[in-house]
């Protein structure tokens, strides 16, 4: 019985550590990579490593950036007095895809989770507070996920900021557009009814 | 509207070129990689590039190898007179996982496909023939895929080799073990009935 070659085994085990890639997919990917021209593999590996290396956190909002400031914080036209608070940079990417929001962001890099020992000091709440001190901000839109940690984080931030006289809003929860009411879970449906608007 | 950062966009487009990874999965993978410690990303990228670089073809059978000969061809105990002919190295890996076959392999690196302009000169048939000349081989087991190209390749090789007085066999086609007869396609069922054995 021949063992799998060490370089292939190592490639498989590294690929299998990525989310959503099991042992079988990793194997399939590794064999594909082995069959690729060396130059193409060099480009792939370099895009992964150099890409990771080029990314740092925006000093203002905590979003991914290639400079000290991310492209949104660096854009004066985005400073419209609104800050949208999200859990992580991929939430920024999701909201940016909508092409609708014109303010800036604040990335918390986590949500409060006492069960996991993650308290207010562990996420970027202090940094958010210091952005509010210069009077240029008038609305904080809290767009953490509609789960237990996201809601707890939203409430915590709202309690901190409201006394400063700023408008604090929470994104709406409800039935997703294009979905079927029948398949919505009860909590989403309850939120949808609670948040109903006059037509 | 902020564009996606160039290093992330490049990583996404490289990952999306891999089989089975669409734009969305590539995006998810890229964001995961960005959030990984740099050292872990270096290990991943190096496993991919150095792994690809370390692999060459076995000079005897065409399987993947790290030396001139693959570990199977280099193992004297595997020289039992049987050669199993397969399309590519991942077929070798599949058969090796079975831990049952004790002979050596011959990897064609393709199958005959006149439609795609792939003829006998384009796959490793000449190399197979030259392995048969020293009289040490008595059986050729053809394990190309049970599809049109695989069958055509099997027939072609059988016609070449039979006149040399060697035993040429083809792996059995039939209903996969553990599967449901109801879901087997007609051709597989026909092959299963054609290949029936007395019990």
């Amino acid at each position: 019985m021949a063992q799998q070659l060490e370089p292939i085994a190592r490639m498989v085990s590294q690929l299998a550590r990525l989310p959503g890639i099991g042992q079988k997919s990793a194997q399939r990917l590794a064999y594909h990579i082995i069959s690729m021209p060396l130059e193409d593999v060099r480009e792939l590996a370099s895009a992964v490593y150099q890409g990771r290396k080029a990314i740092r956190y925006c000093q203002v909002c905590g979003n991914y950036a290639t400079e000290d400031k991310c492209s949104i914080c660096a854009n004066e036209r985005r400073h419209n007095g609104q800050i949208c608070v999200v859990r992580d940079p991929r939430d920024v990417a999701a909201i940016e895809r909508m092409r609708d929001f014109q303010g800036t962001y604040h990335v918390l890099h986590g949500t409060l989770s006492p069960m996991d020992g993650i308290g207010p000091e562990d996420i970027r709440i202090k940094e958010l507070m210091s952005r509010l001190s210069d009077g240029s901000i008038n609305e904080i839109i809290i767009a953490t996920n509609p789960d237990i940690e996201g809601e707890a984080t939203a409430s915590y931030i709202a309690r901190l900021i409201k006394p400063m006289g700023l408008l604090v809003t929470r994104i709406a929860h409800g039935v997703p557009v294009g979905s079927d009411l029948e398949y919505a879970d009860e909590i989403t449906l309850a939120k949808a009814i609670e948040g109903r608007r006059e037509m």
Side-chain angles (χ1 to χ4, degrees), chain A:
Chain A
M1 197 6 241
Q3 290 300 307
Q4 190 168 52
L5 291 173
E6 192 277 332
I8 300 182
R10 191 161 78 100
M11 202 188 293
V12 170
S13 86
Q14 284 289 330
L15 292 168
R17 294 174 64 182
L18 295 172
I21 297 186
Q23 199 63 25
K24 272 233 161 153
S25 319
Q27 196 106 20
R28 198 165 44 85
L29 284 175
Y31 275 102
H32 176 84
I33 290 167
I34 295 289
S35 74
M36 281 165 63
L38 184 60
E39 186 48 32
D40 290 2
V41 179
R42 205 195 53 75
E43 271 179 39
L44 167 66
S46 147
V48 166
Y49 179 64
Q50 297 299 334
R52 166 63 187 81
K53 216 174 145 187
I55 300 296
R56 43 182 153 162
Y57 293 143
C58 170
Q59 289 180 355
V60 180
C61 75
N63 188 17
Y64 289 143
T66 50
E67 312 288 334
D68 284 352
K69 273 188 188 182
C70 75
S71 57
I72 299 169
C73 286
N75 180 350
E76 277 306 319
R77 280 176 301 174
R78 297 293 297 252
H79 291 261
N80 71 349
Q82 293 180 321
I83 292 180
C84 178
V85 178
V86 296
R87 189 185 58 181
D88 60 42
R90 68 194 86 183
D91 298 327
V92 172
I95 297 174
E96 284 297 295
R97 274 198 293 279
M98 186 184 71
R99 296 165 180 263
D100 215 20
F101 177 64
Q102 293 302 323
T104 59
Y105 294 90
H106 192 82
V107 182
L108 296 172
H109 287 283
T111 38
L112 297 178
S113 179
M115 296 274 282
D116 304 314
I118 301 173
E121 296 298 310
D122 302 310
I123 60 178
R124 299 180 66 259
I125 290 180
K126 203 169 65 244
E127 290 85 344
L128 173 62
M129 299 313 287
S130 74
R131 288 178 67 184
L132 306 181
S133 52
D134 72 354
S136 67
I137 304 301
N138 45 54
E139 181 178 1
I140 306 295
I141 302 167
I142 306 183
T144 52
N145 282 335
D147 54 18
I148 295 174
E149 289 85 6
E151 293 297 348
T153 309
S155 313
Y156 181 90
I157 294 176
R159 271 201 309 275
L160 271 185
I161 296 178
K162 271 187 177 167
M164 303 168 71
L166 298 177
L167 177 62
V168 181
T169 57
R170 180 85 175 103
I171 53 163
H173 302 329
V175 181
V177 178
S179 71
D180 200 321
L181 215 71
E182 190 180 352
Y183 301 118
D185 64 284
E186 300 145 47
I187 299 172
T188 300
L189 263 184
K191 291 269 184 191
I193 290 173
E194 184 189 316
R196 69 192 181 279
R197 293 183 183 201
E198 196 176 328
M199 294 177 59

